Amino acid sequence: MTEGLRARVRVQRGDFLLDADLVVGAGETVALLGPNGAGKSTAIDAIAGLAPLDAGRVELDGRVLDDAEAGVFVPPERRGIGVMFQRYLLFEHLHALDNVAFGLRRAGLGRSAARAEAARWLDRFGLTTVAEQRPGQLSGGQAQRVALARALAVEPRLLLLDEPLAALDVTSRARSRRLLADDLDGQACPRVLITHDPLEAVLLGDRIVVLEDGRVTQVGTADDLRRRPSTPYVADLVGTNLLRASISGGRVRLLDERLELIAADVRTEGPVLVTIAPSAVSLHREEPHGSPRNAWETVVTGVEVRPETVRLSLAEPRGLVVEVTAESVEVLGLRPGSAVWASVKATEISVNRS
């Protein structure tokens, strides 16, 4: 028997088409990461049985839950899937204890047995003191953990978490993220976490699946994404520049640009993806001389002040982002429209086959 989730999800909603594959092993957390509107919630709804497939197949631990072509459809309540929604959806009229016990009662446990098991889960999550409080009396972090306890108490074969930290304020989010990581650690079932926050994906996911415009554009660990981002969206998430280029005779020509660069140890020809860390690019008022082998004239098009650095965007190559210190901005007098020289060492340019 194959353990874990194997899903091919194809759902058409108006002009939007979600066509994505997802594989999650037992005991693994996969973060489904993407911008708003990428199709993350649609994917979760389809796996949970809340949205019918137009095509594809959902299989959990070798059991087919949905097969559009074969006409197989297992109702949501019979799939053995726990779902933690973004807004938690706790029952306002029930205490925390009875919220957790609700799923157990539906699974067939008697009232006393269900409440005893629910109490065990609240104790496990450090929530014993709020057992008799209703959702309106709980903090955001407490409500989140009650919702997670409710989802896990029924011992689901698959756990789906839809933006589980989105309802929390910034102050409590960091602590709740650490607690959630501890709560998920050691759970035997496969988990799918959907998020648009790369930090959550990195800290909570064993692997990351990037979804853009209804398509999976990259799958891998956080290090995989950092080292070889496959799209501009991923490159922006991991804080690097991704440029499409071609190589001929050892020279890297950026597509749709006049600019050619020299990279170290190039042993390929044809289409490539070039990554350059924003911190690897230096800016100068005059043409630089010395160690950098790549230098070109350009114009600053944007300035974004961040807590520790300043991010600048350049006119050429289009979309290139540079990180410098606030002191450098002041010394060089950098502002939108400033003419500058940019330089980067050949050893700071990473070339990968596209």
Side-chain angles (χ1 to χ4, degrees):
M1 177 181 290
T2 302
E3 292 188 346
L5 172 72
R6 302 182 67 85
R8 166 78 189 283
V9 178
R10 185 180 176 90
V11 178
Q12 184 86 48
R13 288 188 171 175
D15 295 333
F16 178 79
L17 173 63
L18 171 66
D19 190 353
D21 292 348
L22 192 63
V23 177
V24 189
E28 181 184 33
T29 299
V30 166
L32 189 58
L33 174 67
N36 291 331
K40 303 185 300 296
S41 292
T42 301
I44 291 297
D45 287 348
I47 293 169
L50 302 175
L53 294 178
D54 293 304
R57 177 185 175 97
V58 177
E59 184 179 309
L60 181 59
D61 294 339
R63 178 192 180 203
V64 177
L65 303 180
D66 208 337
D67 189 324
E69 185 175 337
V72 176
F73 180 80
V74 176
E77 65 274 13
R78 292 175 49 204
R79 295 193 174 200
I81 295 176
V83 183
M84 181 178 171
F85 296 99
Q86 182 178 136
R87 296 293 172 184
Y88 310 144
L89 301 183
L90 296 175
F91 299 110
E92 294 294 334
H93 65 290
L94 296 180
H95 296 130
L97 181 68
D98 288 325
N99 261 284
V100 178
F102 178 82
L104 295 165
R105 293 292 307 277
R106 289 195 64 186
L109 281 185
R111 184 173 185 272
S112 297
R115 295 187 101 232
E117 182 66 6
R120 186 180 72 81
W121 277 96
L122 289 179
D123 180 62
R124 177 175 177 176
F125 283 1
L127 295 169
T128 301
T129 58
V130 302
E132 299 303 320
Q133 293 183 13
R134 289 187 170 88
Q137 300 171 290
L138 302 175
S139 69
Q142 289 169 338
Q144 177 225 5
R145 303 194 88 203
V146 169
L148 181 59
R150 182 177 64 181
L152 289 173
V154 295
E155 298 183 350
R157 295 162 57 213
L158 170 67
L159 179 64
L160 306 176
L161 303 104
D162 186 354
E163 300 275 8
L165 303 177
L168 303 179
D169 58 51
V170 174
T171 304
S172 59
R173 192 172 298 156
R175 180 175 182 274
S176 293
R177 188 186 297 119
R178 291 193 298 271
L179 291 172
L180 181 57
D182 292 339
D183 294 339
L184 294 178
D185 187 37
Q187 294 294 331
C189 65
R191 286 91 60 179
V192 179
L193 163 79
I194 71 171
T195 181
H196 65 273
D197 185 339
L199 184 58
E200 286 179 18
V202 169
L203 294 180
L204 298 175
D206 299 306
R207 285 188 300 122
I208 299 172
V209 175
V210 181
L211 191 67
E212 300 179 60
D213 196 26
R215 300 289 190 278
V216 173
T217 57
Q218 190 160 4
V219 179
T221 64
D223 282 343
D224 294 333
L225 270 60
R226 268 193 291 265
R227 292 171 182 168
R228 296 191 174 189
S230 63
T231 70
Y233 168 75
V234 178
D236 186 58
L237 284 180
V238 299
T240 194
N241 293 294
L242 178 70
L243 306 171
R244 296 191 180 276
S246 64
I247 293 183
S248 178
R251 299 190 69 85
V252 182
R253 182 173 183 82
L254 302 182
L255 299 187
D256 302 321
E257 304 278 355
R258 297 171 297 166
L259 189 60
E260 284 190 345
L261 302 174
I262 298 174
D265 298 323
V266 172
R267 295 185 177 89
T268 187
E269 295 280 322
V272 294
L273 294 173
V274 171
T275 54
I276 304 172
S279 59
V281 183
S282 300
L283 298 181
H284 320 264
R285 275 302 190 179
E286 305 291 337
E287 182 178 2
H289 300 281
S291 58
R293 296 177 61 187
N294 298 294
W296 64 95
E297 286 187 280
T298 186
V299 174
V300 175
T301 58
V303 178
E304 178 188 354
V305 179
R306 296 191 168 194
E308 297 180 359
T309 61
V310 178
R311 274 203 152 200
L312 308 174
S313 52
L314 304 182
E316 187 180 11
R318 287 186 295 275
L320 189 75
V321 174
V322 181
E323 282 187 352
V324 297
T325 63
E327 182 182 5
S328 296
V329 171
E330 184 177 351
V331 169
L332 296 174
L334 300 176
R335 59 185 58 86
S338 296
V340 295
W341 278 83
S343 67
V344 60
K345 295 179 180 180
T347 53
E348 297 287 354
I349 299 175
S350 177
V351 174
N352 300 294
R353 296 288 298 181
S354 64

